[in-house]
């Protein structure tokens, strides 16, 4: 006799594992994207500061 309950539970558990793995991957990608955005913003701010400082130094001469 076919054990449908065992087959169902096997598939259900594998599905749950896959969903959890996908959620972990999704969160890792979101974290990486946010880190890249922070790096971009901080680099842009540093560029603006260095450009602004350079202009002030030129104007003072």
């Amino acid at each position: 006799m076919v054990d449908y309950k065992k087959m169902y539970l096997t598939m259900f558990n594998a599905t749950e594992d896959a969903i959890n793995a996908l959620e972990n991957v999704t969160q890792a990608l979101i974290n990486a994207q946010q880190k890249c955005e922070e790096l971009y913003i901080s680099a842009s701010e540093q560029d603006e500061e260095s450009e602004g400082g350079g202009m002030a130094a030129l104007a003072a001469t």
Side-chain angles (χ1 to χ4, degrees):
M1 181 175 210
V2 178
D3 189 350
Y4 289 104
K5 182 177 179 180
K6 184 175 182 178
M7 289 189 322
Y8 172 81
L9 292 175
T10 299
M11 183 59 73
F12 179 83
N13 289 330
T15 302
E16 285 293 310
D17 291 344
I19 289 169
N20 290 334
L22 288 171
E23 288 173 351
N24 290 338
V25 168
T26 300
Q27 191 59 53
L29 290 171
I30 290 169
N31 292 343
Q33 180 182 10
Q34 289 172 342
K35 178 67 176 176
C36 289
E37 290 170 352
E38 291 169 7
L39 290 169
Y40 178 81
I41 290 168
S42 67
S44 295
E45 289 171 352
Q46 289 175 358
D47 287 346
E48 289 176 10
E49 289 173 3
S50 65
E51 287 176 5
M55 295 299 249
L58 288 174
T61 57

